[in-house]
Amino acid sequence: MYELMLDTANLSDIREGIAAWPISGVTTNPSILRKEGDIDVYSRLAEIKKLCGSQRSLHVQTVSTTTREIIEEARFILDRLGCDVYVKIPVSAAGLPAIKTLVSEGVKVTATAIYTTMQGILAGLAGADYIAIYLNRMENNCIDPFVVISEIRSFLDGMNSRSKILAASFRNISQVTSAFASGAKGATVGAEIIRAALGMPSINAAIEAFMEDFEAIHGAGQTMMTITKMKKAAVNSAAFLRLK
Ligand code: E4P
């Protein structure tokens, strides 16, 4: 199954996303939380989780830098927010052993801060549920993210892994579509990416042209629904006149 998630901690974006777009989860990180200003982090995350309900996933990142502390922090997060939360852990020297331990305990893990194929392979072998690849940051560092995605994809397919590539860190729509085309099973995007995708001027120009053609036939303000009513009204009044 392919997935689209929202990469934000902004409540109005999340409400809009859940109501209007095919969103299967919300991903956060400390920088995303910082953008929200002076918030109580756990209250905000609890609120996001409530909005997500049981149908959508919430991903929360640890910030500790030693394996022992990452594991403790992950357990604390689950204690506060519920064990269905995905704990995001960077694939680093300290993070990888924490991922391995937590996965063996049944914790849901999103391996993150992935820039290289090797990090993706290690996260897949450690059994992470999602493998979050940082597209835009990779391109900023002259790393081709699409090659990395397709290499990790082949590796995961080869080992029949259930780990899913979750492309992340986007600045434009084309990065998202290319990530899926390269083998990502999911993408986590800011609300502005979806708004830009739906706000393309050609889309509205096409809709306006269709409307003008329809109005040229049936008159201003008419739709497929009102012309049926109009026709019914015309038939009824003709029948009425015949009876007279
Ligand atoms: C998501 O998992 C990442 O934390 C996020 O997409 C990073 O994005 P950025 O490069 O826009 O900060």
Side-chain angles (χ1 to χ4, degrees):
M1 189 182 87
Y2 287 96
E3 292 189 68
L4 184 66
M5 298 193 195
L6 270 186
D7 200 23
T8 183
N10 184 276
L11 292 178
S12 83
D13 282 351
I14 294 169
R15 282 197 191 97
E16 180 181 354
I18 287 176
W21 305 325
I23 298 300
S24 65
V26 173
T27 55
T28 62
N29 66 34
S31 312
I32 284 171
L33 289 164
R34 185 183 176 188
K35 279 190 206 147
E36 294 304 303
D38 188 21
I39 53 164
D40 177 85
V41 166
Y42 275 107
S43 310
R44 173 60 62 96
L45 291 169
E47 211 165 339
I48 297 174
K49 186 156 184 272
K50 204 166 153 204
L51 289 174
C52 285
S54 57
Q55 304 299 308
R56 296 177 188 84
S57 58
L58 171 64
H59 305 244
V60 177
Q61 194 160 324
T62 57
V63 291
S64 299
T65 52
T66 68
T67 304
R68 186 181 54 78
E69 287 166 341
I70 294 170
I71 293 170
E72 280 174 12
E73 193 182 351
R75 289 177 185 150
F76 189 87
I77 290 170
L78 299 179
D79 228 40
R80 289 292 300 265
L81 295 169
C83 55
D84 50 345
V85 163
Y86 286 76
V87 183
K88 282 178 77 186
I89 301 175
V91 181
S92 61
L96 186 66
I99 292 173
K100 187 171 173 274
T101 303
L102 290 164
V103 166
S104 74
E105 291 173 3
V107 172
K108 298 172 184 217
V109 172
T110 298
T112 194
I114 293 176
Y115 292 78
T116 67
T117 302
M118 192 60 195
Q119 279 179 291
I121 288 173
L122 290 169
L125 287 170
D129 295 272
Y130 290 96
I131 297 181
I133 300 183
Y134 280 13
L135 267 92
N136 193 64
R137 296 188 193 205
M138 289 159 87
E139 288 193 328
N140 289 344
N141 284 288
C142 295
I143 304 167
D144 186 336
F146 310 111
V147 169
V148 171
I149 289 174
S150 62
E151 286 175 352
I152 298 174
R153 163 90 280 128
S154 317
F155 181 82
L156 295 175
D157 287 349
M159 66 180 274
N160 278 328
S161 170
R162 59 176 188 83
S163 304
K164 275 186 166 183
I165 296 176
L166 177 67
S169 177
F170 294 108
R171 289 298 171 273
N172 59 58
I173 300 163
S174 134
Q175 288 171 328
V176 179
T177 54
S178 301
F180 278 116
S182 306
K185 286 282 177 171
T188 182
V189 304
E192 68 287 353
I193 295 272
I194 300 178
R195 288 191 192 109
L198 298 174
M200 202 178 140
S202 321
I203 301 174
N204 283 336
I207 293 168
E208 272 165 33
F210 289 134
M211 205 174 75
E212 275 167 25
D213 286 339
F214 197 83
E215 288 187 344
I217 310 169
H218 300 288
Q222 302 306 325
T223 66
M224 289 296 284
M225 197 168 66
T226 58
I227 58 165
T228 309
K229 282 182 197 150
M230 279 169 64
K231 201 170 177 187
K232 259 190 199 158
V235 168
N236 286 345
S237 77
F240 178 73
L241 285 174
R242 267 199 306 278
L243 280 176
K244 279 177 105 184

